[in-house]
Amino acid sequence: MDINRLFWGSRRGMLELDLVLMPFLENVYPTLEQSDKERYWLLLEEQDQDLFAWFLRRENPANPELQRIVDIIRANTGLQKKDN
């Protein structure tokens, strides 16, 4: 998938998602293995409200392929699990 399509696919209807996905696309996506890049493409097909819930750890994706890319995003965008 070319970078322009990824850029526009990563721009979502929610500012909160843009603040997660755009830095990820710019800083982490280029370093991913091809299989994880393909998982990111799959992730972009999901609904904004699902992405928001996954990134905030309110829910997890049922699909293990999506769970892997969500975990990568959480670990690389300031969404790490906090120790209480």
Side-chain angles (χ1 to χ4, degrees):
M1 185 176 291
D2 77 33
I3 195 70
N4 289 327
R5 287 184 66 200
L6 281 173
F7 175 82
W8 290 110
S10 297
R11 295 287 313 256
R12 308 304 287 207
M14 296 176 66
L15 175 62
E16 295 86 353
L17 292 178
D18 289 350
L19 294 173
V20 171
L21 294 175
M22 296 310 295
F24 180 82
L25 179 63
E26 294 170 3
N27 300 315
V28 180
Y29 178 85
T31 68
L32 295 176
E33 294 179 15
Q34 183 63 32
S35 59
D36 289 328
K37 288 180 179 182
E38 292 172 13
R39 288 180 182 99
Y40 185 75
W41 306 343
L42 183 64
L43 182 78
L44 294 180
E45 296 175 9
E46 298 297 319
Q47 298 294 316
D48 287 356
Q49 57 270 34
D50 292 331
L51 296 176
F52 188 69
W54 297 340
F55 296 151
L56 292 182
R57 298 178 188 276
R58 293 180 182 160
E59 299 174 13
N60 288 312
N63 180 332
E65 297 296 314
L66 290 177
Q67 183 64 56
R68 175 166 168 77
I69 193 64
V70 166
D71 288 342
I72 292 169
I73 292 169
R74 287 173 176 169
N76 287 284
T77 55
L79 297 170
Q80 296 84 357
K81 191 171 187 176
K82 304 287 184 200
D83 291 330
N84 291 337

